[in-house]
Amino acid sequence: MTLVLAQTQPNEPWWIDTIKAFLVINVVLLTFAYLTWVERKLLGRMHLRYGPNRVGPFGLLQPIADLVKLLRKASFFPVAAVDVLYVLAPAVAAFTALAAFSVIPFGGTWTIAGYSVDGVVADVNISLVLIFALGAIGIYAFVVAGWASESKYSLLGSMRTCAQLVSYEVSFGLAVMGVILMAGTLRLTGIVAAQEQDIWYIVPQFVGFLCFFVAGIAETNRAPFDLPEAEQELVAGYHTEYGGMRWGLFQMAEYINMVTFSGLAVTLFLGGWHGPVLPGPVWFLIKLAIFIFVFMWLRATLPRLRYDQLMKFGWKVLLPVATLNAVATAVLITVF
């Protein structure tokens, strides 16, 4: 099957793009803030405890209290740290996480005050490649942070990060090859449109979806693949020597990466924003919330893997299965 790069549509006025970017960034940041509250509440209930319940009604102001605490904390600096890289690493991690969400479509096209407004900040031809590229750059932020901190725990955490993310990045990419072959485009809006005309790709690409989901958990450093942070072994891994808002930027990057991955999963396998009766963005948020809930559920129920188990599973199980799925999809599309 020939891979098609859709023609670029006429650009919207720059001020519409600016407004959309501003709104999306702030919504994503607000989502990150309250995901910390939601996760602590869910984990509390699953562990038969309350979770945050003191700051505001039902603890709803807890994210605000956490932000104030981080802003007031002294910003220490290890004496032996590589100053520029130490400061730059958390900013790069946060930037790449936010930038990746800019190509995730959350709705169709609306006409507002005579202007045609797309439900995506940047609808580019190779949006899927762009997400992978930004994710690869984000890996450097974690690796450099551990190395620049001049701490043995941070260095071990960064080494684990490098090995884990590079290993699972291969399976992550192969898992979406089936979707790309079926849709015939790298544009995420095109993949959503293909599912509207046919069937959600989670059905014909169920094996690819499973590989994608497992690799995505490892890519976001979430339990049970949180080896780069492993508190019982490495104190806090690559961000051991970080505090205040520098540490907060790493936490923000982790949660926003989780949101971006969930949005990508919805787009590639669950038909994006499409659904009956309700508006497109509402369906997108419902599907997004389901994936995020599963992330938190896994953290509450599964123990952390040993490092050798992590690497063995990635190279000996996940990679062959993802490869076979991509090859089988290519053969079936060619034949039929």
Side-chain angles (χ1 to χ4, degrees):
M1 183 175 181
T2 304
L3 189 64
V4 178
L5 293 179
Q7 296 298 316
T8 304
Q9 299 298 320
N11 291 330
E12 300 166 344
W14 66 267
W15 56 270
I16 291 183
D17 289 334
T18 303
I19 292 173
K20 285 198 299 184
F22 176 80
L23 291 175
V24 169
I25 287 175
N26 281 277
V27 168
V28 171
L29 290 176
L30 184 64
T31 301
F32 145 69
Y34 275 93
L35 277 182
T36 62
W37 176 84
V38 170
E39 182 167 37
R40 292 168 71 181
K41 276 290 188 182
L42 282 176
L43 292 177
R45 293 299 178 180
M46 291 178 178
H47 296 160
L48 300 181
R49 51 188 175 82
Y50 287 106
N53 63 348
R54 298 303 178 94
V55 187
F58 306 106
L60 282 170
L61 297 182
Q62 186 63 49
I64 309 300
D66 291 340
L67 175 62
V68 173
K69 178 187 71 174
L70 290 175
L71 289 173
R72 294 185 62 190
K73 271 191 170 183
S75 184
F76 58 84
F77 192 97
V79 176
V82 182
D83 50 2
V84 176
L85 297 178
Y86 176 85
V87 173
L88 192 61
V92 171
F95 171 78
T96 54
L98 284 170
F101 196 85
S102 64
V103 296
I104 301 290
F106 51 85
T109 302
W110 308 284
T111 301
I112 302 176
Y115 291 97
S116 181
V117 179
D118 295 327
V120 59
V121 175
D123 186 16
V124 297
N125 287 330
I126 54 171
S127 48
L128 193 56
V129 175
L130 181 60
I131 287 181
F132 279 93
L134 288 169
I137 294 173
I139 293 174
Y140 286 103
F142 302 121
V143 175
V144 169
W147 176 80
S149 297
E150 287 293 332
S151 164
K152 60 181 180 181
Y153 296 115
S154 299
L155 182 60
L156 286 171
S158 67
M159 291 172 64
R160 285 188 175 187
T161 302
C162 184
Q164 175 176 321
L165 299 190
V166 169
S167 299
Y168 281 81
E169 186 83 19
V170 181
S171 301
F172 192 65
L174 285 171
V176 304
M177 282 302 299
V179 171
I180 296 172
L181 290 169
M182 292 186 69
T185 180
L186 293 169
R187 185 194 288 266
L188 291 179
T189 52
I191 293 174
V192 173
Q195 293 177 82
E196 182 185 17
Q197 298 171 3
D198 193 1
I199 188 174
W200 288 2
Y201 288 153
I202 191 173
V203 177
Q205 285 293 311
F206 186 71
V207 174
F209 167 74
L210 292 179
C211 294
F212 177 84
F213 186 70
V214 173
I217 297 172
E219 287 289 300
T220 52
N221 292 335
R222 296 283 301 183
F225 299 104
D226 55 342
L227 274 298
E229 300 176 27
E231 294 88 350
Q232 293 86 347
E233 306 168 28
L234 303 179
V235 185
Y238 60 87
H239 58 67
T240 298
E241 300 299 333
Y242 283 88
M245 278 308 299
R246 289 172 184 159
W247 175 86
L249 288 174
F250 277 124
Q251 291 302 105
M252 183 181 77
E254 177 182 320
Y255 277 89
I256 293 178
N257 281 330
M258 181 173 64
V259 173
T260 301
F261 166 76
S262 299
L264 185 60
V266 168
T267 302
L268 295 177
F269 295 98
L270 293 184
W273 66 84
H274 292 299
V277 183
L278 298 176
V282 175
W283 273 114
F284 180 80
L285 290 175
I286 291 173
K287 297 173 185 178
L288 190 73
I290 292 172
F291 274 100
I292 293 173
F293 171 77
V294 173
F295 267 96
M296 297 174 180
W297 189 6
L298 291 176
R299 179 180 174 182
T301 55
L302 295 182
R304 182 183 301 121
L305 295 176
R306 288 202 321 262
Y307 192 71
D308 62 312
Q309 294 173 332
L310 172 83
M311 299 304 292
K312 184 182 295 185
F313 179 78
W315 288 108
K316 294 186 176 182
V317 178
L318 198 63
L319 180 60
V321 173
T323 303
L324 287 174
N325 178 74
V327 172
T329 303
V331 170
L332 290 172
I333 289 177
T334 302
V335 173
F336 297 103

